[in-house]
Coordinates of all heavy atoms in Angstrom, one line a residue:
G152 N 7.5 18.3 -12.6 CA 8.7 19.0 -12.8 C 9.1 19.2 -14.3 O 9.5 20.2 -14.7
V153 N 8.8 18.1 -15.1 CA 9.1 18.2 -16.5 C 8.2 19.2 -17.2 O 8.7 20.1 -17.9 CB 9.0 16.8 -17.2 CG1 9.0 16.9 -18.7 CG2 10.1 15.9 -16.7
F154 N 6.9 19.1 -16.9 CA 6.0 20.1 -17.5 C 6.2 21.5 -17.1 O 6.3 22.4 -17.9 CB 4.5 19.7 -17.1 CG 3.9 18.7 -18.0 CD1 3.6 17.4 -17.5 CD2 3.6 19.0 -19.4 CE1 3.1 16.5 -18.3 CE2 3.1 18.0 -20.2 CZ 2.8 16.8 -19.7
Y155 N 6.4 21.7 -15.8 CA 6.6 23.1 -15.3 C 7.9 23.7 -15.8 O 8.0 24.9 -16.1 CB 6.5 23.1 -13.7 CG 6.5 24.5 -13.2 CD1 5.4 25.3 -13.5 CD2 7.5 25.0 -12.4 CE1 5.3 26.6 -13.0 CE2 7.4 26.3 -11.9 CZ 6.3 27.1 -12.2 OH 6.2 28.4 -11.7
F156 N 9.0 22.9 -15.8 CA 10.3 23.4 -16.3 C 10.1 23.8 -17.8 O 10.6 24.8 -18.2 CB 11.3 22.3 -16.2 CG 12.7 22.7 -16.8 CD1 13.5 23.6 -16.1 CD2 13.1 22.2 -18.0 CE1 14.7 24.0 -16.7 CE2 14.3 22.6 -18.6 CZ 15.1 23.5 -17.9
N157 N 9.4 23.0 -18.6 CA 9.1 23.3 -20.0 C 8.3 24.6 -20.1 O 8.7 25.4 -20.9 CB 8.4 22.1 -20.7 CG 8.2 22.4 -22.1 OD1 8.9 23.1 -22.8 ND2 7.1 21.8 -22.7
Y158 N 7.3 24.7 -19.3 CA 6.5 25.9 -19.4 C 7.3 27.2 -18.9 O 7.1 28.3 -19.5 CB 5.2 25.8 -18.5 CG 4.3 24.8 -19.0 CD1 3.4 24.2 -18.2 CD2 4.2 24.4 -20.4 CE1 2.4 23.2 -18.6 CE2 3.3 23.5 -20.8 CZ 2.4 22.9 -20.0 OH 1.5 22.0 -20.4
C159 N 8.1 27.0 -17.9 CA 8.9 28.2 -17.5 C 9.9 28.6 -18.5 O 10.1 29.8 -18.7 CB 9.7 27.8 -16.2 SG 8.6 27.8 -14.7
Q160 N 10.5 27.6 -19.2 CA 11.4 28.0 -20.3 C 10.7 28.7 -21.4 O 11.2 29.7 -22.0 CB 12.1 26.7 -20.9 CG 13.0 26.0 -19.9 CD 14.1 27.0 -19.5 OE1 14.7 27.7 -20.3 NE2 14.5 27.0 -18.2
K161 N 9.5 28.3 -21.7 CA 8.7 29.0 -22.8 C 8.3 30.4 -22.3 O 8.3 31.3 -23.2 CB 7.4 28.2 -23.1 CG 7.6 26.8 -23.6 CD 7.8 26.8 -25.1 CE 7.9 25.4 -25.6 NZ 7.9 25.3 -27.0
L162 N 8.0 30.6 -21.1 CA 7.7 31.9 -20.6 C 8.9 32.8 -20.6 O 8.7 34.0 -21.0 CB 7.1 31.8 -19.1 CG 5.7 31.5 -19.0 CD1 5.3 31.3 -17.5 CD2 4.8 32.5 -19.6
K163 N 10.0 32.3 -20.3 CA 11.2 33.2 -20.3 C 11.6 33.6 -21.7 O 12.1 34.7 -21.9 CB 12.4 32.4 -19.7 CG 12.4 32.3 -18.2 CD 13.5 31.6 -17.6 CE 13.4 31.4 -16.1 NZ 14.5 30.5 -15.6
R164 N 11.4 32.7 -22.7 CA 11.8 33.0 -24.0 C 10.6 33.8 -24.8 O 10.7 34.0 -26.0 CB 12.1 31.8 -24.8 CG 13.4 31.1 -24.3 CD 13.7 30.0 -25.2 NE 12.6 29.0 -25.2 CZ 12.7 27.7 -25.2 NH1 13.9 27.2 -25.3 NH2 11.6 27.0 -25.2
K165 N 9.6 34.1 -24.1 CA 8.4 34.7 -24.7 C 7.8 33.8 -25.8 O 7.3 34.3 -26.8 CB 8.7 36.1 -25.2 CG 9.3 37.0 -24.2 CD 8.2 37.5 -23.3 CE 8.9 38.6 -22.4 NZ 8.3 38.7 -21.1
D166 N 8.0 32.5 -25.7 CA 7.5 31.6 -26.7 C 6.3 30.8 -26.3 O 5.9 29.8 -26.8 CB 8.7 30.6 -26.9 CG 8.6 29.9 -28.2 OD1 7.9 30.4 -29.1 OD2 9.2 28.8 -28.4
Y167 N 5.6 31.4 -25.3 CA 4.4 30.7 -24.7 C 3.2 30.7 -25.6 O 2.3 30.0 -25.4 CB 4.1 31.3 -23.3 CG 3.9 32.7 -23.3 CD1 2.6 33.3 -23.6 CD2 4.9 33.6 -23.0 CE1 2.4 34.7 -23.6 CE2 4.7 35.0 -23.0 CZ 3.5 35.5 -23.3 OH 3.3 36.8 -23.3
K168 N 3.2 31.6 -26.6 CA 2.1 31.6 -27.5 C 2.0 30.4 -28.4 O 0.9 30.2 -29.1 CB 2.1 32.9 -28.4 CG 2.0 34.1 -27.5 CD 2.1 35.4 -28.3 CE 2.0 36.6 -27.3 NZ 2.2 37.9 -27.9
K169 N 3.0 29.6 -28.5 CA 3.0 28.4 -29.3 C 2.5 27.2 -28.5 O 2.4 26.1 -29.1 CB 4.4 28.1 -29.8 CG 4.9 29.1 -30.8 CD 6.2 28.7 -31.3 CE 6.7 29.8 -32.3 NZ 8.1 29.5 -32.7
L170 N 2.2 27.3 -27.2 CA 1.8 26.2 -26.4 C 0.4 25.8 -26.7 O -0.5 26.6 -26.7 CB 1.9 26.5 -24.9 CG 3.3 26.6 -24.3 CD1 3.3 27.2 -22.9 CD2 3.9 25.2 -24.3
T171 N 0.2 24.6 -27.0 CA -1.1 24.1 -27.4 C -2.2 24.2 -26.4 O -3.3 24.6 -26.7 CB -1.0 22.6 -27.8 OG1 0.0 22.4 -28.7 CG2 -2.3 22.0 -28.4
E172 N -1.8 23.9 -25.1 CA -2.8 24.1 -24.0 C -3.3 25.5 -23.9 O -4.5 25.7 -23.7 CB -2.2 23.6 -22.7 CG -1.8 22.1 -22.7 CD -0.4 21.9 -23.0 OE1 0.2 22.8 -23.7 OE2 0.1 20.8 -22.7
L173 N -2.4 26.4 -23.9 CA -2.7 27.8 -23.8 C -3.6 28.3 -24.9 O -4.6 29.0 -24.7 CB -1.4 28.7 -23.7 CG -1.5 30.1 -23.1 CD1 -2.2 30.1 -21.8 CD2 -0.2 30.7 -23.0
N174 N -3.2 28.0 -26.1 CA -4.0 28.4 -27.3 C -5.4 27.7 -27.2 O -6.4 28.3 -27.6 CB -3.3 28.0 -28.6 CG -2.1 28.8 -28.8 OD1 -2.1 30.0 -28.4 ND2 -1.1 28.3 -29.5
F175 N -5.5 26.5 -26.7 CA -6.8 25.8 -26.6 C -7.7 26.6 -25.6 O -8.9 26.9 -25.9 CB -6.6 24.4 -26.1 CG -7.9 23.7 -25.6 CD1 -8.7 23.2 -26.6 CD2 -8.2 23.6 -24.3 CE1 -9.9 22.6 -26.2 CE2 -9.3 23.0 -23.9 CZ -10.2 22.5 -24.9
F176 N -7.2 27.0 -24.5 CA -8.0 27.7 -23.5 C -8.4 29.1 -24.0 O -9.5 29.5 -23.9 CB -7.2 27.9 -22.2 CG -7.1 26.7 -21.4 CD1 -5.9 26.2 -20.9 CD2 -8.2 25.9 -21.1 CE1 -5.8 25.1 -20.1 CE2 -8.2 24.8 -20.3 CZ -6.9 24.4 -19.8
I177 N -7.5 29.8 -24.7 CA -7.8 31.1 -25.2 C -8.8 31.1 -26.3 O -9.8 31.9 -26.2 CB -6.5 31.8 -25.7 CG1 -5.6 32.1 -24.5 CG2 -6.8 33.1 -26.5 CD1 -4.2 32.6 -24.9
K178 N -8.7 30.2 -27.2 CA -9.7 30.1 -28.3 C -11.0 29.6 -27.9 O -12.1 30.1 -28.3 CB -9.1 29.3 -29.5 CG -8.0 30.0 -30.2 CD -7.4 29.2 -31.3 CE -6.2 29.9 -31.9 NZ -5.5 29.0 -32.9
K179 N -11.0 28.5 -27.2 CA -12.3 27.8 -26.8 C -13.1 28.6 -25.8 O -14.3 28.7 -25.9 CB -12.0 26.4 -26.3 CG -13.4 25.7 -26.0 CD -13.2 24.2 -25.8 CE -14.6 23.7 -25.6 NZ -14.6 22.3 -25.1
Y180 N -12.4 29.2 -24.9 CA -13.2 29.9 -23.8 C -13.1 31.4 -23.9 O -13.5 32.1 -23.0 CB -12.6 29.4 -22.4 CG -12.8 27.9 -22.2 CD1 -11.8 27.0 -22.4 CD2 -14.1 27.4 -22.0 CE1 -12.0 25.7 -22.2 CE2 -14.3 26.1 -21.8 CZ -13.3 25.2 -22.0 OH -13.5 23.9 -21.8
N181 N -12.7 31.9 -25.1 CA -12.7 33.3 -25.4 C -12.1 34.1 -24.3 O -12.7 35.0 -23.7 CB -14.2 33.7 -25.6 CG -14.3 35.0 -26.4 OD1 -13.3 35.4 -27.0 ND2 -15.5 35.5 -26.4
L182 N -10.8 33.8 -23.9 CA -10.2 34.5 -22.9 C -9.5 35.8 -23.4 O -9.1 35.9 -24.5 CB -9.1 33.6 -22.2 CG -9.6 32.3 -21.7 CD1 -8.4 31.5 -21.1 CD2 -10.6 32.5 -20.6

Side-chain angles (χ1 to χ4, degrees):
V153 169
F154 276 111
Y155 191 63
F156 177 75
N157 182 27
Y158 292 156
C159 286
Q160 293 300 318
K161 297 271 186 178
L162 279 174
K163 285 180 185 176
R164 292 185 303 216
K165 305 285 187 210
D166 201 21
Y167 53 87
K168 294 178 182 175
K169 294 181 183 177
L170 287 171
T171 307
E172 296 94 340
L173 196 56
N174 288 331
F175 169 76
F176 285 130
I177 290 171
K178 289 178 184 173
K179 183 169 183 189
Y180 297 103
N181 202 15
L182 302 178

